[in-house]
Amino acid sequence: MKLQGRIDFGNTERRLHRVEEKLTKRINFLLGKNGCGKSSTLREIDAKLADNEAWFVKYITPERGGSLTFTAHIEQSITNSSVYLRDARRANRHEQFREQTVSQFRHLELLVLREIELDPAMRADHSHTFQSVIDQINALLPLVRITRGAGSGFEIQRKSDNATVSPTAISSGESEAIALAIEALVFSRQSQIRARRLLMIDEPDVHLHPDLQARYIRFLAALAREKNFNVLIATHSTAIVGSLERTDDVQVAFMPIAADGEITFSPVDEIAMTVLPIFGAHPLSNIFNESSILLVEGDDDKRIWDQVARSRKEAFSVFACPTGSVDKIAEWETWLVEKLPSLYDEPRAFSLRDRDNSVGELEDRPPIIRCRLACRAAENLMLADDTLRVAATDWDSVVAGCQKWLENFPHHSHFRDMSVFADSNFDRANGDLKEIRNILMAIIGVSKPWEVLVGQTIATLNQDSPRTPHSLSTYLGSKLCANLLSI
C-alpha cells in the first residue's frame, strides 16, 4: 500500500510498526516536510484503531473549511450515524468542518452537564459549570468571545464592546481556534471508559498566529492531563513544539526519509527545545535555507555571531546556538544530522569550535559544515589587526600597554596570566587570553564588550579584506570565511 504524498514509502506496515504502543507521552508530535506522509500516517492509525475496542480515536483533518454556523442536515447526519464524522474527515480537506464543529458544541453542553450530574464532587463545587468550559475557549481568544445562544448553540461577541459578530466576519485564526478548542473539549468527555483515548490533530497551526498556536497547544496539553487522553499532532510548526513549558510528558518523531523507515519518538530534550523554536512557525518555507543554524561552544560565541548578523550590510542570517561546551557540540551535531533531512530539502548547518591545542580542519558531517578557528579561541579574535583597526589602535600600542600594565599592577589577581602572555612574546594568535580579555579591552581603550567589537569587525570583512598572518580572516580560518561568510 502506498501512502499519499510526493514520496512512495512502499512498506506502510513497517512505517507504522507499533506506533500506537510508542505513544507513551501525553503530547506526541510528528514533524516532517510537505509530502512526507504525515497526514497519511495519521489516517492509517485512525483506520487501524477504529475498530479496536480498547481504543477511542478521533482524527481531525488538516484543511478545515466552512464557517461557524449551524446547519441542520449536518446535525442530522451526526445524530443518525456514529461513523459520519470519522468517515467525513478521512480526507485532506473538508469544506464543512466548522459547521460540524458547531453541531458538536450543542453536544458538548450535554456531555458537560451529564459529567457534573454523575460526579458528586463536581456537583458540590459550583465552579464546575458549562460556562466554565466556555471560559476555557474564550481564554484562547484575544479579541472575541463566544456566548451561549439560541439556534446555532453559541454567538460570537467582540470583547471590546460586547457587540455580536457574524461567524463569517471574524478572522480565520479566530474561527480555527474556536473550532479546534470545541473539538478537543468534546473528545475529552467521550468514551472515558476506554483503556486508551487518542486525539489526532493534523496541522493545528494552520491559520493560527504563533502566539495563538502556543496558547492552543498549552490549552490542549492541560486538557489532556486533566481528562487523561493522549494527543498525536502532525505539524510543520516547530513553534508549537517549543511552546510547551513542561516537556516531561512530550515526545517528538521525525518522519523517516528511508522508504522502510520506522517512526521513532524521542523526548523533547534540551537540544530540541533550543533548536526547534529557532526556525519559527513554518520552517518548511525557504527560511531555513536562507538562515542556517550555527552551533557554537558558549554564550560568548553566540554574542559575537548575533552581532555579526546585526551589523553586516550584506545578507547574512545565521542563528547562533550555544551548546554549552566543545564536548556538547558533537552531541548536537548528531541530533541535526539525524533530524534535519526529515524536515528540510537540502538543509545546511554549521558548527564552530575554538582551535585550542588541535590542528587541522574538521571533517564535515553532512549537512553540517564543521569549522575550527585558526587561532586559539574566540578571545584571540579581538587582537587581530582588523579588530584593533576598528578600535582605533594597533598592535604595537597594545604591546606597550601590556608592558605598562605589568609594571603598574604587580599584585593584581591576573598578574601571572598577563606574565605568561608576555613570556610568550605576546603570542596573540595562540595565547590563552580567557582570564585577561577584559584587561586587554581596557588596554585597547574600548568600553564596549569584546564580543561586540569582534562581531562588528567580522561584519566589515569582504573579498578585499587583507589576508596577513594576523588579519581577522586568517584567525577565523579559510574554511569558515569561505562557507559561512562567503569571502
Side-chain angles (χ1 to χ4, degrees), residues 214-273:
R215 287 190 194 187
Y216 179 72
I217 294 301
R218 289 168 185 161
F219 154 81
L220 189 61
L223 183 64
R225 286 192 292 269
E226 177 191 355
K227 298 300 183 182
N228 191 31
F229 63 91
N230 296 84
V231 182
L232 176 58
I233 297 171
T235 182
H236 294 164
S237 174
T238 57
I240 66 174
V241 181
S243 67
L244 290 172
E245 297 172 353
R246 175 179 169 181
T247 60
D248 60 327
D249 210 11
V250 181
Q251 62 182 2
V252 61
F254 297 81
M255 286 298 291
I257 297 300
D260 61 349
E262 187 174 328
I263 294 172
T264 302
F265 287 89
S266 57
V268 179
D269 56 14
E270 176 192 6
I271 299 176
M273 288 297 288

Side-chain angles (χ1 to χ4, degrees), residues 38-238:
K38 297 187 305 299
S39 296
S40 298
T41 297
L42 263 61
R43 289 197 293 271
E44 290 286 349
I45 295 172
D46 182 35
K48 180 179 180 181
L49 299 179
D51 297 323
N52 188 322
E53 293 183 357
W55 286 82
F56 178 65
V57 182
K58 184 177 186 179
Y59 169 67
I60 296 179
T61 190
E63 297 181 35
R64 301 171 284 272
S67 62
L68 295 170
T69 55
F70 175 72
T71 305
H73 76 84
I74 288 180
E75 176 146 309
Q76 185 176 4
S77 296
I78 293 174
T79 302
N80 292 340
S81 173
S82 61
V83 297
Y84 165 74
L85 283 177
R86 186 187 72 188
D87 292 345
R89 292 176 173 185
R90 282 183 177 170
N92 273 343
R93 180 169 182 82
H94 196 284
E95 296 295 346
Q96 293 185 309
F97 180 90
R98 290 171 186 159
E99 286 86 349
Q100 293 174 350
T101 298
V102 170
S103 290
Q104 290 185 82
F105 179 83
R106 296 160 65 90
H107 185 48
L108 175 61
E109 182 171 10
L110 178 61
L111 288 172
V112 171
L113 294 178
R114 284 180 176 174
E115 180 183 50
I116 295 172
E117 179 185 1
L118 295 172
D119 190 328
M122 294 182 74
R123 289 202 309 272
D125 183 351
H126 294 166
S127 66
H128 290 291
T129 64
F130 184 54
Q131 183 59 47
S132 66
V133 174
I134 293 177
D135 291 342
Q136 288 181 275
I137 301 172
N138 291 334
L140 295 172
L141 308 169
L143 301 178
V144 298
R145 67 168 66 90
I146 66 171
T147 62
R148 278 180 285 184
S152 68
F154 64 84
E155 294 179 347
I156 302 171
Q157 296 179 347
R158 283 197 301 264
K159 289 185 176 180
S160 60
D161 58 7
N162 298 326
T164 300
V165 183
S166 168
T168 59
I170 65 174
S171 72
S172 58
E174 290 167 328
S175 292
E176 191 82 347
I178 292 170
L180 290 177
I182 292 172
E183 295 279 347
L185 287 165
V186 170
F187 176 86
S188 72
R189 287 162 170 85
Q190 291 177 314
S191 297
Q192 296 190 51
I193 61 172
R194 296 285 185 98
R196 295 290 303 274
R197 295 189 299 153
L198 177 64
L199 175 61
M200 295 187 291
I201 308 181
D202 208 337
E203 299 187 18
D205 46 287
V206 173
H207 300 305
L208 299 185
H209 184 275
D211 287 347
L212 197 47
Q213 292 178 33
R215 287 190 194 187
Y216 179 72
I217 294 301
R218 289 168 185 161
F219 154 81
L220 189 61
L223 183 64
R225 286 192 292 269
E226 177 191 355
K227 298 300 183 182
N228 191 31
F229 63 91
N230 296 84
V231 182
L232 176 58
I233 297 171
T235 182
H236 294 164
S237 174
T238 57

Side-chain angles (χ1 to χ4, degrees), residues 338-353:
E338 292 176 352
K339 311 304 184 189
L340 290 187
S342 295
L343 291 174
Y344 306 101
D345 294 322
E346 300 179 0
R348 187 173 71 154
F350 300 91
S351 66
L352 176 62
R353 293 163 168 78

